[in-house]
């Protein structure tokens, strides 16, 4: 099963305007994010949430505009909570749709993720007065817009119930030649510390709850703010360091696979000479194509797995800044 997804850095995800014409080069004026919010019913069947907005008298997927300084991932989780009262955990990236705003010379782009409900209950609010959980056989007819149906079809290409593993390249730590001590003790620079802080809400949007790091200080410092927020320890993993990986790449891949869990969302922080090869090996093993990615410092891979096999890989790079897609 191939589940290659899109690198949001490069802007190559499917864009669909109001006429159904795909053009990833379109530059939007307004950015928004939303989710295909799903759950299992009592019989184990799949249900997807659709919301009714009285202002427009339509049925749609929950979504909303980015607040200043937000990333699309944070927006998607916040908007789901505001419109539905439900807390969710993001999974696979489903692409984006781009369309004109009626009556304005503006284009709106909405980024979508699969999102599993983890808590909460619906209550009517100023934007949404009704929520319905729809089985797949009735969902498409209920949705008001072809664009939403396109997003749902993207969601349905792979199983909804996947495990998530987050792989982070350490943040900026300055140049090696400018640090006089042992390289493993090279700390984050000011920009790197800002990257580490910015990672926290974005990793939490995917439900991050345990942390594993290569031993170098810059790796540990990259995930330290997340560990503090969660109140958990950082587990040192020598196999994910450049030195450890070079000696035992197969063992490192086995360790990464071992960390995948249906009950938690682990974060691995590693290095630039580890992550590309590790993911190439993993993708080749499971027959998944990876999107092009520069693997810059502070970037994140979101890996989706089903029954121990990789089915999708999403790369977040400029998505972690406020100018995504521009």
């Amino acid at each position: 099963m191939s589940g290659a997804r899109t690198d949001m850095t490069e802007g190559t995800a499917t864009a669909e305007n109001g006429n159904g014409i795909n053009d990833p080069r379109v530059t939007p004026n307004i950015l928004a994010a939303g989710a295909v919010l799903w759950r299992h019913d009592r019989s184990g069947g799949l249900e997807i949430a659709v919301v009714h907005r009285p202002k427009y008298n339509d049925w749609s997927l929950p979504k909303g505009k980015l607040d200043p300084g937000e990333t699309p991932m944070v927006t998607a989780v916040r908007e789901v909570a505001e419109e539905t009262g439900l807390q969710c955990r993001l999974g696979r990236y489903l692409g984006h749709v781009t369309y004109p705003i009626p009556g304005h010379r503006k284009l709106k782009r909405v980024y979508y993720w699969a999102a599993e409900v983890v808590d909460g209950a619906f209550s009517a609010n100023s934007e949404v007065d009704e929520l319905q959980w729809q089985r797949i056989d009735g969902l498409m007819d209920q949705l008001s817009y072809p664009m939403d149906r396109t997003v749902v079809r993207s969601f349905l290409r792979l199983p909804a119930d996947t495990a998530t593993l987050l792989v982070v390249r350490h943040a900026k730590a300055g140049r090696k030649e400018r640090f006089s001590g042992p390289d493993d003790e090279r700390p984050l620079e000011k920009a790197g510390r800002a990257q580490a802080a910015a990672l926290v809400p974005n990793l939490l949007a995917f439900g991050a709850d345990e942390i594993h790091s290569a031993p170098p200080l810059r790796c540990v410092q990259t995930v330290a703010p997340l560990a503090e927020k969660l109140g958990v320890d950082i587990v040192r993993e020598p196999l994910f360091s450049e030195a450890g990986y070079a000696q035992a790449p197969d063992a490192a891949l086995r360790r990464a696979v071992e960390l995948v869990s249906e009950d938690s969302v682990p974060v691995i922080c590693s290095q630039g000479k580890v992550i590309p090869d590790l993911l190439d090996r993993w993708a080749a093993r499971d027959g998944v194509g990876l999107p092009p990615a520069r693997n810059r410092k502070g970037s994140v891979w979101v890996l989706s797995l089903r029954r121990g096999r990789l089915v999708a890989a999403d790369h977040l790079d400029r998505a972690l800044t406020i100018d995504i897609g521009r």
Side-chain angles (χ1 to χ4, degrees):
M1 177 185 296
S2 178
R5 301 245 62 82
T6 298
D7 182 350
M8 298 176 69
T9 303
E10 307 302 327
T12 54
T14 298
E16 179 177 293
N17 67 20
N19 296 319
I21 301 173
N22 293 327
D23 186 357
R25 297 168 296 179
V26 171
T27 301
N29 308 98
I30 301 170
L31 298 179
V36 175
L37 186 64
W38 66 273
R39 71 179 187 184
H40 289 303
D41 63 18
R42 292 180 180 178
S43 64
L46 181 66
E47 294 182 324
I48 292 175
V50 294
V51 297
H52 181 260
R53 300 181 300 172
K55 179 178 179 180
Y56 304 103
N57 192 26
D58 62 9
W59 288 94
S60 65
L61 302 172
K63 63 181 182 297
K65 290 187 291 187
L66 274 64
D67 280 347
E70 276 189 337
T71 65
M73 294 77 71
V74 173
T75 298
V77 172
R78 176 182 57 76
E79 284 291 337
V80 165
E82 289 180 0
E83 292 195 351
T84 71
L86 300 170
Q87 303 300 315
C88 71
R89 175 176 59 221
L90 302 184
R92 293 185 291 119
Y93 176 54
L94 303 176
H96 62 253
V97 296
T98 305
Y99 55 92
I101 303 299
H104 298 273
R105 297 183 63 182
K106 292 183 178 181
L107 290 174
K108 185 175 184 178
R109 175 167 293 171
V110 188
Y111 299 90
Y112 284 98
W113 279 263
E116 182 181 8
V117 175
V118 295
D119 200 4
F122 174 74
S123 59
N125 55 76
S126 60
E127 294 185 70
V128 173
D129 62 352
E130 188 175 353
L131 179 148
Q132 289 185 4
W133 287 101
Q134 289 281 339
R135 299 292 292 266
I136 299 304
D137 53 5
L139 176 63
M140 296 303 191
D141 290 338
Q142 184 70 358
L143 289 167
S144 298
Y145 304 112
M147 293 173 294
D148 283 353
R149 292 192 281 273
T150 297
V151 174
V152 170
R153 282 192 287 270
S154 178
F155 170 76
L156 293 174
R157 290 190 187 109
L158 290 171
D161 200 357
T162 57
T164 299
L165 178 70
L166 303 167
V167 181
V168 179
R169 186 181 177 189
H170 71 74
K172 294 180 180 179
R175 294 184 180 180
K176 179 179 180 179
E177 61 271 18
R178 293 182 178 178
F179 182 68
S180 59
D183 189 53
D184 279 359
E185 296 178 11
R186 178 157 47 101
L188 296 183
E189 61 184 13
K190 182 178 180 180
R193 294 193 296 273
Q195 286 180 310
L199 280 169
V200 174
N202 293 286
L203 296 174
L204 290 177
F206 293 93
D209 58 7
E210 65 178 66
I211 306 173
H212 302 258
S213 176
L217 179 60
R218 56 193 178 276
C219 294
V220 175
Q221 287 183 334
T222 297
V223 287
L226 177 64
E228 182 178 359
K229 178 71 174 180
L230 291 171
V232 301
D233 294 330
I234 299 172
V235 179
R236 269 65 167 183
E237 300 277 0
L239 286 171
F240 298 141
S241 69
E242 290 179 348
Y245 185 82
Q247 293 178 0
D250 292 337
L253 176 56
R254 287 195 298 271
R255 178 57 182 153
V257 173
E258 287 173 359
L259 292 177
V260 177
S261 171
E262 301 293 335
D263 302 317
S264 64
V265 178
V267 175
I268 294 173
C269 187
S270 187
Q271 299 178 268
K273 293 181 180 179
V274 175
I275 294 172
D277 189 71
L278 174 69
L279 295 190
D280 282 345
R281 288 170 176 267
W282 203 339
R285 189 198 76 165
D286 293 345
V288 173
L290 297 177
R294 294 178 63 182
N295 288 293
R296 292 189 287 193
K297 292 174 182 177
S299 64
V300 179
W301 282 93
V302 181
L303 307 183
S304 299
L305 299 104
R306 173 73 170 175
R307 296 174 181 169
R309 297 188 65 83
L310 184 67
V311 297
D314 311 322
H315 188 245
L316 307 178
D317 193 340
R318 287 184 186 153
L320 296 173
T321 68
I322 61 175
D323 63 342
I324 176 175
R326 293 191 185 279

